[in-house]
């Protein structure tokens, strides 16, 4: 309950603070997405990675070392030019979800006391991608391998925070 109240409070405060820059950030996001949509699927994740790096977007933990985690709207992350793993996963979701049959933002838990980590995973059949923060971590042949790409053998499990799946028809 405390975390939900914090998310509402901090997210609202952050949105109000950056509201005057909203139009420019949303325009930039739309241009980036329009550019990526024109590319062959295999190039899309690496072009998003280049966009992050060209902008010099940086990783930053949420307040109190991430203890009170919240996810910023993509336009707020662009305005701040920084965010944590779930913020970058939201931008990847915005830019890439429509290009894949299956797309998810996944929180991965690892052994050894490591903090959970959010990634964007998408694909179908034998072509799956994973993006973590500002990095495209490669194309893998199964969804499971894509998810385990970040923590490897230390992966304990994961949950989907957001997902889109093509329905059979």
């Amino acid at each position: 309950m405390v975390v939900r109240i914090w998310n509402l409070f901090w997210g609202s405060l952050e949105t109000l603070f950056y509201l005057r820059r909203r139009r420019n950030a949303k325009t930039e996001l739309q241009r980036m997405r329009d550019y990526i949509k024109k590319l062959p699927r295999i190039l899309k994740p690496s072009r998003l990675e280049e966009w992050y790096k060209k902008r010099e977007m940086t990783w930053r933990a949420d307040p109190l070392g991430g203890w009170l985690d919240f996810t910023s709207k993509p336009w707020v992350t662009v305005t701040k030019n920084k965010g944590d793993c779930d913020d970058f996963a939201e931008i990847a979701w915005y830019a890439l979800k429509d290009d894949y049959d299956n797309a998810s933002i996944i929180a991965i838990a690892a052994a050894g006391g490591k903090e959970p980590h959010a990634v964007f995973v998408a694909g179908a059949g034998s072509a799956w991608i994973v993006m973590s923060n500002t990095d495209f971590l490669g194309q893998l042949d199964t969804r499971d391998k894509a998810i385990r790409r970040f923590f490897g053998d230390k992966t304990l499990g994961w949950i989907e925070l957001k997902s889109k799946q093509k329905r059979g028809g």
Side-chain angles (χ1 to χ4, degrees):
M1 182 66 164
V2 171
V3 172
R4 294 184 103 188
I5 292 169
W6 172 255
N7 286 341
L8 181 62
F9 168 75
W10 189 258
S12 299
L13 187 65
E14 183 181 63
T15 299
L16 286 172
F17 183 74
Y18 292 108
L19 197 56
R20 62 190 165 91
R21 299 184 202 160
R22 180 175 186 238
R23 182 176 299 187
N24 290 343
K26 284 187 135 194
T27 299
E28 183 177 352
L29 278 167
Q30 188 62 48
R31 283 186 188 141
M32 174 269 296
R33 188 163 112 176
D34 291 346
Y35 166 71
I36 286 175
K37 289 217 174 286
K38 295 175 187 173
L39 299 170
R41 183 186 294 177
I42 197 160
L43 295 177
K44 293 175 190 237
S46 59
R47 293 304 182 265
L48 180 57
E49 176 186 36
E50 287 173 10
W51 181 79
Y52 286 139
K53 291 180 178 178
K54 183 179 178 183
R55 289 190 96 259
E56 298 179 355
M57 293 185 89
T58 55
W59 181 88
R60 183 193 75 188
D62 284 325
L64 301 176
W67 186 75
L68 291 175
D69 192 25
F70 66 95
T71 303
S72 296
K73 297 202 176 293
W75 68 266
V76 173
T77 303
V78 168
T79 301
K80 294 185 311 187
N81 211 38
K82 58 184 138 197
D84 66 355
C85 57
D86 50 320
D87 299 327
F88 288 112
E90 282 289 335
I91 290 176
W93 173 268
Y94 172 81
L96 301 172
K97 75 175 185 283
D98 294 335
D99 297 310
Y100 294 91
D101 291 343
N102 300 289
S104 301
I105 295 177
I106 295 175
I108 307 168
K114 293 184 179 187
E115 285 187 34
H117 183 65
V119 296
F120 174 79
V121 176
S126 62
W128 288 85
I129 63 149
V130 61
M131 294 195 72
S132 170
N133 294 347
T134 60
D135 297 318
F136 169 48
L137 297 178
Q139 189 156 332
L140 297 116
D141 59 358
T142 69
R143 183 174 191 263
D144 189 63
K145 284 182 184 175
I147 293 169
R148 293 178 183 279
R149 175 77 166 90
F150 190 79
F151 286 130
D153 293 340
K154 296 195 182 291
T155 303
L156 293 176
W158 57 85
I159 59 168
E160 287 186 336
L161 302 176
K162 185 183 275 193
S163 75
K164 174 204 96 146
Q165 296 180 356
K166 184 177 180 180
R167 304 287 182 224

